[in-house]
Amino acid sequence: MCQKSPDDVPKPVALKIGIGAPFSRGPARAALALLLAAGVIGCSALRGPDRKCAPPNLEYRGTATDTTAATAQYADPAIFEQLTTNLVPPEEKDEPPRPGNRRYEILAVSGGGKYGAYPAGVVCGWTCRGTRPKFDIATGVSTGAYVAVFGFLGPKYDAALKKLYTETTTDDILKKYPLRKLPFTHSFASSDPLRKTIEGFTTDETIADLATAFAEDRHCYIGTTNLDTRRLCVWDVTAIAAGNRPDKKKLLVDIFLATASVPGQFPPVTFDVVVNGQTYQELHVDGGVTSEIFVRLALLNVPEEQLRNGKRPLAGSNIHSLVAGKLYADPDCIKPKVFGSILGTSVGSLIYAMTQNDLLRINYLCLITGMKSRFTAVPRDFADDGDALNFEPKNLAKLFNAGFKVGQTDEGWRVRAPGTEPDEQSVPRAGLGFTVPNLPPPGQYGGPVLPKPPKVSGDQ
């Protein structure tokens, strides 16, 4: 597949998926009334008056002047630049691997719906470049779980990865329930088609390859959300594949289904667990509910004594994080509708913030242990509708191609943590008056183009 240009990727078939709030176990009539009320109110009563939206970058350092600000001085940009640069040690300060300590190559992939096409493209392009490492650890949630598994198992699975993200159809994913049935279900759609798709790539050969990786002390971890504990549950799918459970294929399929079971869109997946001889049931949903991307210290063999002494025991190791989406949301003029713009934008903002915070966690883990971290996300100038569940063919192909280019050229990676660039810092407001250069024409939403962050040592 490396002999083909990314532009030759077959155009995927459209996949349109809706999303809604999960139903409780309350009375069916009340649930149906709430659903109908949401539809009516969302379409009419709460639209509110039209408004003239302000330029989107009043919060960003260097793009607006607060005309009502007092003489109080905030952090000097030069000092801020020095502090953030120190978060990324220059190449000459990199520490060599410590004798006797293991060196890791780690792949971490986030959730993100249709944006999974981007990290899929990165992995396939990386193979073509010839520098893709053999990963010792891979982690993933939701759509990122599938990219993590295929990326972990090596170039042998590139064709399957490409097919999954370019040929999937709606019928391969879900079957919507009729409206009359919704009060009596746990979701808006059946996940049986998705289960069948997962069973298609969870073959005996795939399981055997996962078991081989386990024998090599390599591990692939998939995250789901345990609804009872409200916490991330991490599954070692390589250990499960290498185990002696007669039902291990079904268990793996259940895990792969649970990690992508968007609450409300799909029903939760039930797992029977045995505690002290007693069987209990757990309900698991999309891992992205509790963590968008993860690498935990508990997953690494870290000499505790060296860590306590500040010796950075994992120097020489690398974490490569693939974000299935943009790092920051595209600004938009939101219409004041509760069920739609306001609610949807607020939930989406939480997901963006969670991704940024999870990447910060990974960055701090690297600062403590001596590992190097880099990540790539969909470019912020990528033209898109911002809907992670709108699987439009042309856009999917563009996402895959954008990722393929990053993997093939090794350009588009970032080493500085989210929030450390000048235009990612918010300056406190002292009032409501501002001056902004290069405003768009009247009546056109937008604002001055954000300046590109300065390139620092280690950025690629």
Side-chain angles (χ1 to χ4, degrees), residues 287-337:
V289 171
T290 44
S291 183
E292 275 298 305
I293 188 167
F294 72 95
V295 178
R296 303 288 175 83
L297 188 61
L299 308 180
L300 308 172
N301 183 18
V302 181
E304 188 175 337
E305 187 63 30
Q306 292 182 16
L307 195 61
R308 280 203 301 263
N309 294 336
K311 293 184 177 180
R312 294 160 60 89
L314 297 183
S317 297
N318 298 289
I319 299 180
H320 313 271
S321 300
L322 309 182
V323 179
K326 294 187 177 183
L327 187 59
Y328 291 91
D330 293 329
D332 193 11
C333 190
I334 302 304
K335 295 181 179 180
K337 295 189 300 179

Side-chain angles (χ1 to χ4, degrees), residues 347-362:
V347 172
S349 299
L350 287 173
I351 295 174
Y352 279 104
M354 183 186 297
T355 302
Q356 296 155 21
N357 289 332
D358 286 341
L359 289 170
L360 275 171
R361 286 186 180 184
I362 292 175

